[in-house]
Amino acid sequence: VENGYVVLSVNYRGGIGFGRDFRQALFHKMGVDDVADIVGAANYLKGLPFVDPKRVAVWGLSYGGYMTLHSLTQYPEVFACGVNIAGIWDFPQWTKWAEKRYGKGGFSFKIYFGGEPELSPDLYRQGSPRTFAKNMKAPLLNVQGTGDLNVDFPQMDRIVEDLTELGKDFEVVYYPGEVHTFAKRSTWADAMPKIRLFLDRHLKP
């Protein structure tokens, strides 16, 4: 807001604070209905008289980063650019990493996907932004700490590998040793200006 942007924070389906049904609405629909909520929010913004419909971005941290990746790959015409902070790109990869690190009972995403990746390959493909990478058109900035304990840093490696092969417009910033939600003030002091400059470059006239 301080830099002249309109900001809308979306509580997409699957989030907390709106009861059990809202929380469980993504059963077998991760990467579908939650992304539709983000796109719906963008279309709402585009209908406001003080918003330029050609200059709307999407960004987020963790699941918000995951939503950014999905939004740019599944709805390539909607957003002018996006910023992914520590989002999941490939859910089968993340699931194997999480099981190795925390054990089979350490997380709940498998419930939404209907079980193991081998048993529900179509749902895992739908839930992985990587599946739709070839569709991406808007520039993407990716930011993550190498010491992330929530999302494996090799997700970033896979993003770089895939988008390089596809010839997409993307940037990467990583912070050695940093955790999922950056712990050091100096990291945020470095990351936020980089994000702002990225948005300015792709949104401001």
Side-chain angles (χ1 to χ4, degrees), residues 101-120:
R101 186 171 186 90
Y102 298 111
K104 290 184 178 294
F107 53 92
S108 61
F109 284 125
K110 283 198 295 185
I111 296 172
Y112 292 99
F113 285 124
E116 302 291 340
E118 295 78 12
L119 300 177
S120 303

Side-chain angles (χ1 to χ4, degrees), residues 14-98:
I16 60 175
F18 287 89
R20 183 187 62 185
D21 291 345
F22 189 82
R23 176 66 173 158
Q24 296 179 351
L26 295 184
F27 182 71
H28 287 190
K29 291 185 177 180
M30 277 187 65
V32 182
D33 288 354
D34 43 4
V35 187
D37 290 339
I38 302 297
V39 173
N43 290 331
Y44 166 76
L45 286 175
K46 291 181 180 185
L48 298 176
F50 48 86
V51 173
D52 185 340
K54 294 182 179 179
R55 293 189 283 150
V56 176
V58 57
W59 81 303
L61 164 66
S62 193
Y63 205 95
Y66 170 63
M67 287 292 92
T68 294
L69 295 170
H70 258 309
S71 297
L72 294 188
T73 56
Q74 288 200 65
Y75 296 87
E77 308 293 342
V78 173
F79 297 98
C81 66
V83 179
N84 157 46
I85 306 176
I88 293 174
W89 179 247
D90 186 312
F91 250 108
Q93 174 180 309
W94 182 87
T95 301
K96 292 176 183 177
W97 169 82

Side-chain angles (χ1 to χ4, degrees), residues 123-166:
L123 291 176
Y124 274 87
R125 276 194 293 270
Q126 176 63 54
S128 298
R130 184 186 187 214
T131 301
F132 312 98
K134 64 180 184 301
N135 301 325
M136 198 180 87
K137 294 182 179 179
L140 170 66
L141 172 63
N142 301 278
V143 183
Q144 190 176 4
T146 64
D148 196 326
L149 299 179
N150 295 66
V151 174
D152 53 312
F153 187 74
Q155 293 283 335
M156 180 78 85
D157 294 337
R158 181 60 61 84
I159 289 173
V160 171
E161 180 182 3
D162 290 343
L163 297 187
T164 298
E165 183 176 341
L166 292 167

